[in-house]
C-alpha cells in the first residue's frame, strides 16, 4: 500500500496530517480523572506532569523555570537569550512588550535584532543556572547546535541536570566546508547528563538522532505561534504525522538497540489543551510548550510571545505575537479555568480526556484510537 499521492506528473508526495485534522475516540471504559496518572520520567528525573517549558525568552526566565519545576514540570532556560546577555534584562523585556507597530512591522524586527546583538556572557550562564539549582528543582538549559561547542563546558560546570540542543532543524550529521561541525554522537557520549535534541520532522532524521545516544528527541520546529518558517523557508511538518513517524522510529530503535527507550517530545503547534491531548495520543511522551505558557501572568513576555527566529540577524522568520494573559502559571496548568477555549487547566483537560477514554497513564494513552476529521 502506498500513501503517496500525485501532486503533478513529475512529483509525488505523502499526505500528512496536523493535530487539527485528527480526533481521539472514546473507548468502552471510562475512569475518574483523579485515578489517572500523568507522571513522566526521563533518565533519573521524574516529573508530575509531561510539560517542558520551551527555552524562549517570552516563556522562561530563571523565576518561571523554578515556578514550573515546583509545579511538577521542567523549565528549560534559553542560554542564548536575554538572561545570559544582560545583567538585568527587565528593562529590555519591558521595552519589547511596549514596542509599537504591527506584527510584521520591520522596525520591531530591527529593534529585536539590535537587542539580541549583545554578547552572551559565560558568567551569566553560570549565575542563572546556579539560581535555578539553588531552588531545588531540576536544572535544564538549552543551546543551539551553533553555540554548543562554545559554551557547553560552562553549562556542564554550572551543574545542569538535563542539556537541551534545540534548533529549527537538528541533524545527526552536519556537513560544512568552512567550520568544524558538532559531532553529536561523540559529544553526547562524552557528557554525563541526559541530552534532548531536536527538532526532527520525520522517521529517518529522528532515527539518526536516537542513534547518537540522545535521551529525548524533539519533534517539530517549535515556536508554532510566533514563526513564519513555512513562509520564509518553505519548511513545514504537520505535527500529527511527524509525531507518529518519530514514535515509529522510537519503536524500531528499541528493537535495534536491544531495548533502549528514547523519549519523543512534541515541540510546537500546541496552543491548547486539546492539542496536547492529541500529541500524546499520537505517541509523544511529553510536550514542550511555548505559546501555551506565554499566557501565564508570570511569563516574562508580559502577554507577548516571540522565538529566536524573530531576531535572527540575517534571516528573521518570526513575529512578536500578542497572546494575552489567562491566569497564573498554576491556573494555566491546573486551573481553575475561566476560559472555555482550552488555554488554561491544561493538565486537568489531559486527565479528563484520558479518564473519558478509559486510560490510566500516558503510555497506555498512546494506544488510543484516532480518526481523521478535517
Amino acid at each position: 500500500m502506498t500513501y503517496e499521492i500525485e501532486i503533478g506528473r513529475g512529483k509525488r508526495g505523502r499526505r500528512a496530517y496536523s493535530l487539527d485534522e485528527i480526533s481521539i475516540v472514546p473507548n468502552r471504559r471510562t475512569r475518574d480523572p483523579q485515578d489517572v496518572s500523568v507522571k513522566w520520567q526521563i533518565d533519573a528525573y521524574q516529573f508530575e506532569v509531561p510539560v517542558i517549558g520551551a527555552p524562549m525568552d517570552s516563556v522562561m526566565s530563571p523565576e518561571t523555570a523554578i515556578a514550573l519545576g515546583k509545579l511538577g514540570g521542567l523549565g528549560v532556560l534559553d542560554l542564548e537569550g536575554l538572561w545570559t546577555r544582560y545583567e538585568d534584562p527587565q528593562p529590555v523585556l519591558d521595552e519589547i512588550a511596549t514596542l509599537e507597530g504591527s506584527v510584521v512591522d520591520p522596525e520591531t524586527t530591527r529593534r529585536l535584532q539590535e537587542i539580541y546583538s549583545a554578547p552572551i556572557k559565560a558568567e551569566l550562564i553560570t549565575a542563572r543556572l546556579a539560581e535555578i539549582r539553588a531552588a531545588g528543582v531540576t536544572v535544564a538549559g538549552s543551546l543551539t547546535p551553533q553555540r554548543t561547542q562554545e559554551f557547553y563546558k560552562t553549562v556542564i560546570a554550572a551543574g545542569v541536570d538535563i542539556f537541551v540542543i534545540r534548533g529549527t532543524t537538528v541533524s545527526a550529521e552536519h556537513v560544512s566546508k568552512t567550520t568544524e561541525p558538532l559531532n553529536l554522537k561523540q559529544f553526547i557520549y562524552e557528557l554525563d547528563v541526559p541530552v534532548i535534541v531536536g527538532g526532527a520532522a520525520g522517521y529517518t532524521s529522528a532515527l539518526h538522532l536516537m542513534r547518537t545516544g540522545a535521551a529525548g528527541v524533539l519533534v517539530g520546529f517549535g515556536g508554532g505561534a510566533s514563526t513564519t518558517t513555512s513562509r520564509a523557508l518553505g519548511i513545514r511538518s504537520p505535527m500529527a504525522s511527524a509525531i507518529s513517524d518519530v514514535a515509529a522510529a522510537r519503536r524500531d530503535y528499541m528493537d535495534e538497540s536491544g531495548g533502549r527507550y528514547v523519549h519523543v517530545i512534541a515541540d510546537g503547534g500546541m496552543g491548547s489543551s486539546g492539542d496536547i491531548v492529541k500529541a500524546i495520543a499520537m505517541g509523544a511522551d511529553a510536550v514542550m510548550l511555548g505559546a501555551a505558557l506565554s499566557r501565564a501572568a508570570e511569563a516574562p513576555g508580559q502577554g507577548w510571545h516571540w522565538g529566536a527566529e524573530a531576531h535572527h540577524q540575517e534571516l528573521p522568520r518570526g513575529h512578536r505575537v500578542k497572546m494575552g494573559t489567562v491566569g497564573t502559571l498554576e491556573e494555566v496548568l491546573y486551573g481553575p479555568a475561566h476560559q472555555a477555549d482550552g488555554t488554561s487547566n491544561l493538565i486537568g483537560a489531559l486527565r479528563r480526556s484520558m479518564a473519558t477514554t478509559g486510560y490510566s497513564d500516558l503510555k497506555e494513552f498512546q494506544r488510543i484510537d484516532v480518526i481523521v476529521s478535517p
Side-chain angles (χ1 to χ4, degrees):
M1 178 183 295
T2 178
Y3 294 96
E4 289 189 343
I5 60 174
E6 186 176 285
I7 299 170
R9 293 189 178 186
K11 182 71 71 173
R12 298 178 68 86
R14 187 166 66 94
R15 175 67 164 94
Y17 297 94
S18 67
L19 293 172
D20 287 338
E21 294 178 288
I22 67 161
S23 299
I24 62 173
V25 182
N27 208 325
R28 63 179 176 85
R29 179 184 294 118
T30 58
R31 297 180 185 274
D32 291 333
Q34 61 266 29
D35 295 335
V36 169
S37 171
V38 292
K39 290 184 177 181
W40 172 64
Q41 180 170 342
I42 182 168
D43 204 84
Y45 303 96
Q46 187 175 89
F47 304 94
E48 293 298 314
V49 293
V51 171
I52 303 175
M56 305 170 80
D57 282 336
S58 55
V59 181
M60 285 289 110
S61 65
E63 293 81 6
T64 51
I66 291 168
L68 181 56
K70 291 183 176 180
L71 288 170
L74 173 65
V76 182
L77 190 67
D78 179 7
L79 301 179
E80 300 174 37
L82 297 175
W83 275 268
T84 59
R85 297 174 190 263
Y86 296 90
E87 285 280 354
D88 179 12
Q90 194 57 53
V92 178
L93 286 164
D94 293 341
E95 179 186 351
I96 293 174
T98 57
L99 287 174
E100 297 181 355
S102 66
V103 168
V104 295
D105 181 49
E107 289 303 318
T108 297
T109 298
R110 186 175 291 112
R111 181 56 185 144
L112 284 173
Q113 291 172 317
E114 291 172 353
I115 289 170
Y116 280 90
S117 66
I120 299 168
K121 300 172 183 176
E123 63 271 21
L124 286 179
I125 292 178
T126 301
R128 304 313 188 198
L129 294 177
E131 181 181 347
I132 299 172
R133 175 164 294 284
V137 300
T138 303
V139 183
S142 174
L143 291 171
T144 60
Q146 294 83 358
R147 296 279 195 173
T148 296
Q149 291 279 35
E150 183 178 358
F151 291 113
Y152 84 91
K153 290 182 179 178
T154 300
V155 175
I156 298 301
V160 73
D161 295 315
I162 297 176
F163 189 72
V164 179
I165 301 176
R166 183 178 188 253
T168 302
T169 302
V170 178
S171 65
E173 181 181 0
H174 179 72
V175 180
S176 174
K177 293 182 179 179
T178 58
T179 60
E180 183 66 28
L182 174 67
N183 185 325
L184 197 55
K185 187 171 185 177
Q186 180 179 348
F187 175 79
I188 292 175
Y189 177 78
E190 292 175 353
L191 291 185
D192 292 327
V193 300
V195 179
I196 297 173
V197 298
Y203 176 93
T204 301
S205 58
L207 186 59
H208 284 294
L209 288 176
M210 291 172 185
R211 288 169 176 164
T212 65
V217 171
L218 299 170
V219 185
F221 305 133
S226 59
T227 66
T228 54
T229 299
S230 176
R231 182 176 296 177
L233 301 182
I235 295 175
R236 178 173 176 265
S237 179
M239 283 295 285
S241 294
I243 296 168
S244 179
D245 286 346
V246 177
R250 173 184 61 200
R251 177 199 62 210
D252 292 347
Y253 178 69
M254 282 186 68
D255 291 339
E256 173 187 306
S257 63
R260 183 173 181 272
Y261 190 90
V262 178
H263 293 266
V264 173
I265 302 164
D267 180 16
M270 293 168 293
S272 70
S273 54
D275 295 329
I276 297 169
V277 169
K278 289 186 280 189
I280 294 174
M282 294 306 298
D285 297 292
V287 294
M288 178 171 275
L289 300 181
L293 299 185
S294 72
R295 301 187 182 102
E298 301 94 324
Q302 303 174 42
W304 290 90
H305 185 44
W306 65 92
E309 300 87 356
H311 54 77
H312 194 282
Q313 296 298 314
E314 298 172 358
L315 184 63
R317 50 192 187 278
H319 299 314
R320 183 193 60 139
V321 180
K322 182 66 173 178
M323 303 301 296
T325 301
V326 299
T328 65
L329 182 59
E330 185 172 3
E331 288 173 336
V332 169
L333 288 176
Y334 297 112
H338 305 292
Q339 297 79 20
D341 57 0
T343 56
S344 54
N345 199 1
L346 304 177
I347 301 304
L350 174 59
R351 284 183 176 276
R352 187 166 294 274
S353 291
M354 293 171 63
T356 301
T357 53
Y359 293 91
S360 61
D361 60 41
L362 297 174
K363 291 307 298 178
E364 282 189 3
F365 191 58
Q366 292 174 348
R367 301 199 298 265
I368 192 172
D369 291 335
V370 299
I371 58 173
V372 177
S373 56

